């Protein structure tokens, strides 16, 4: 099968589009014929091996442990292991795997769910990583409650577009979204009660305060973000892109966690996890229309390096997806 393979960390040209063996199917595994594969900013980090912290986090010290990149997948079940009870060949599924930038991907059955019929495979492949992150940041790290005032920074990005919808439609919060001028209408259409164009307005000028701030972009210092919190408010650092080689965008999260015990604000980070229960929840929200993926653009599988380059520029408007078959 064709796949993007990586044998060393480095610039995007370490990715080779080549023929590899189909992954072996374990007893609890599902082999998926990939139709679409979601792309997100984390892929750039896994290709380059930066920040170095991620190598220590188990992805491989000198070279990546998994050769094929890509986590988010939507496709049809091609084969199942003998212990698989939830799926059979032909089922349309979505979820996560190790190696979706390929024609076939293998993953444990718990990482997949049936694709909602109202979504096409591009929309379904856009969901898992960003959806998990938005859900877990709001619910688990943020402990969001109905009626709270929630500010989402990076509201038009991959995580932000899910976070705005979840905060408004699922958790019943009053949502303010922060984005650039051209994305104001998009963020409003996702259910934000108020949209702040950060090129014109400073949300941290002290005139407004929020119970919960979810920060997915912009690298604003923790001290500045705290100025926009209510006295007992919560800040959740989801991520941000920097060129720092050791910690990258994680340094702000670490600083917030270190400061947390000494201040009245709750300062939290989030490390999203692939949970079967959360995939099932997201599926319900997608089915009943409370969540609709926003697709910025699609690329062919062979164009994966361009897709990663585009995402890494940090100007995405929703999600980027590679179409495979
Ligand atoms: N902690 C975790 O588990 C986890 C999981 C997934 C992702 N992440 C990280 O979270 C971050 C966001 O991911 P993503 O997928 O949402 O990224 P994305 O799709 O690339 O979106 C980034 C968004 O940031 C906006 N932006 C850029 N500068 C901004 C600024 N100064 N103020 C406000 N918004 C700004 C951009 O829109 P404009 O053009 O409007 O500026 C863009 O829509 C990344 O760093 C990613 O690595 C963390």
């Amino acid at each position: 099968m064709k796949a993007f393979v990586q044998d060393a960390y480095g610039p995007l040209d370490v990715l080779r589009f080549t023929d590899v063996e189909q992954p072996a199917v374990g007893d609890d595994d599902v082999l998926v014929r990939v139709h679409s594969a979601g792309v997100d900013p984390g892929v750039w980090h896994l290709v380059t091996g930066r920040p170095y912290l991620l190598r220590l986090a188990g992805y491989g010290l000198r070279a990546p442990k998994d050769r094929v990149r890509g986590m988010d997948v939507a496709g049809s079940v091609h084969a199942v292991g003998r212990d698989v009870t939830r799926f059979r060949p032909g089922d349309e599924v979505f979820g996560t795997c190790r190696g979706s930038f390929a024609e076939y991907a293998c993953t444990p059955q718990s990482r997949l769910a049936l694709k909602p019929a109202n979504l096409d495979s591009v929309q379904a492949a856009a969901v898992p990583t960003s959806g998990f992150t938005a859900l877990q940041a709001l619910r688990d790290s943020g402990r969001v409650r109905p009626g709270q005032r929630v500010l989402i920074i990076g509201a038009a990005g991959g995580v932000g577009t899910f976070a705005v919808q979840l905060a408004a439609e699922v958790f019943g919060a009053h949502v303010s979204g922060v984005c650039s001028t051209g994305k104001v209408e998009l963020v409003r259409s996702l259910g934000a009660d108020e949209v702040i164009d950060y090129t014109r307005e400073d949300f941290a000028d002290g005139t407004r305060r929020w119970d919960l701030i979810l920060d997915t972009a912009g690298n604003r210092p923790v001290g500045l973000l705290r100025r926009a919190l209510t006295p007992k408010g919560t800040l959740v650092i989801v991520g941000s892109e920097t060129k720092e080689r050791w910690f990258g965008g994680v340094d702000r999260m670490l600083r917030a966690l270190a400061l947390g015990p000494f201040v009245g604000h709750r300062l939290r980070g989030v490390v999203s996890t692939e949970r079967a229960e959360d995939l099932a929840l997201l599926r319900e929200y997608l089915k009943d229309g409370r969540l609709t993926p926003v697709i910025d653009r699609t690329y062919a599988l062979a164009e994966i390096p361009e897709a990663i380059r585009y995402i890494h520029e940090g100007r995405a408007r929703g999600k980027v997806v590679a179409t495979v078959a």
Side-chain angles (χ1 to χ4, degrees):
M1 68 169 189
K2 285 278 184 213
F4 266 102
V5 169
Q6 174 188 5
D7 292 309
Y9 292 122
L12 288 178
D13 51 21
V14 298
L15 287 172
R16 289 184 298 118
F17 194 44
T18 187
D19 286 302
V20 293
E21 296 269 307
Q22 255 184 27
V25 186
D27 290 346
D28 191 47
D29 287 345
V30 176
L31 183 66
V32 177
R33 173 86 172 103
V34 181
H35 295 165
S36 301
V39 187
D40 74 286
V43 181
W44 185 89
H45 298 293
L46 293 175
V47 173
T48 58
R50 288 190 181 193
Y52 297 135
L53 185 65
L54 82 83
R55 304 189 191 197
L56 299 173
Y59 288 97
L61 272 184
R62 293 180 181 280
K65 277 186 188 160
D66 298 318
R67 294 179 75 215
V68 183
R69 292 273 69 79
M71 276 183 67
D72 289 350
V73 66
S76 53
V77 173
H78 188 73
V80 295
R82 63 177 176 194
D83 295 343
V84 172
T85 49
R86 295 175 53 220
F87 304 103
R88 48 181 192 210
D91 284 348
E92 298 282 321
V93 292
F94 76 121
T96 53
C97 64
R98 299 290 171 270
S100 60
F101 298 163
E103 288 174 322
Y104 293 87
C106 199
T107 194
Q109 58 175 333
S110 62
R111 298 271 161 87
L112 294 172
L114 288 173
K115 178 178 78 61
N118 57 331
L119 259 59
D120 62 27
S121 79
V122 168
Q123 292 172 305
V127 176
T129 298
S130 300
F132 285 143
T133 309
L135 178 65
Q136 293 164 10
L138 286 164
R139 182 195 59 194
D140 306 338
S141 306
R143 297 187 195 160
V144 64
R145 291 193 306 277
Q148 280 191 324
R149 284 173 53 76
V150 176
L151 179 75
I152 294 165
I153 305 172
V159 176
T161 47
F162 287 109
V164 170
Q165 297 180 70
L166 288 170
E169 299 294 330
V170 174
F171 295 111
H174 178 281
V175 180
S176 308
V178 179
C179 62
S180 58
T181 315
K183 297 171 182 170
V184 168
E185 282 316 312
L186 166 69
V187 174
R188 205 184 305 282
S189 75
L190 297 174
D193 299 281
E194 174 191 35
V195 186
I196 300 170
D197 175 352
Y198 67 80
T199 68
R200 297 181 183 181
E201 268 184 273
D202 176 12
F203 64 80
D205 63 4
T207 58
R208 283 168 289 185
R209 292 183 190 277
W210 287 269
D211 303 301
L212 170 61
I213 298 180
L214 222 70
D215 184 9
T216 78
N219 275 313
R220 292 167 183 85
V222 171
L224 188 137
L225 296 171
R226 287 181 55 215
R227 266 190 248 156
L229 279 178
T230 53
K232 295 279 175 205
T234 299
L235 167 66
V236 179
I237 306 269
V238 176
S240 54
E241 298 299 311
T242 74
K243 293 199 167 60
E244 205 281 319
R245 285 190 293 176
W246 282 93
F247 295 102
V250 181
D251 60 344
R252 249 173 5 128
M253 206 187 280
L254 297 176
R255 245 178 281 140
L257 292 177
L259 183 64
F262 306 103
V263 297
H265 293 137
R266 281 182 75 240
L267 306 180
R268 295 287 185 271
V270 65
V271 178
S272 68
T273 47
E274 304 155 83
R275 277 195 213 126
E277 316 85 83
D278 285 349
L279 189 59
L281 263 184
L282 291 169
R283 181 173 183 274
E284 288 310 307
Y285 304 148
L286 293 160
K287 270 173 66 178
D288 67 23
R290 282 185 282 176
L291 206 54
T292 304
V294 175
I295 307 301
D296 178 339
R297 50 176 82 180
T298 59
Y299 290 82
L301 176 62
E303 300 170 328
I304 282 285
E306 284 97 285
I308 301 173
R309 199 169 290 122
Y310 172 70
I311 286 266
H312 186 61
E313 285 166 12
R315 298 271 81 92
R317 183 190 176 88
K319 291 291 301 179
V320 170
V321 176
T323 53
V324 181

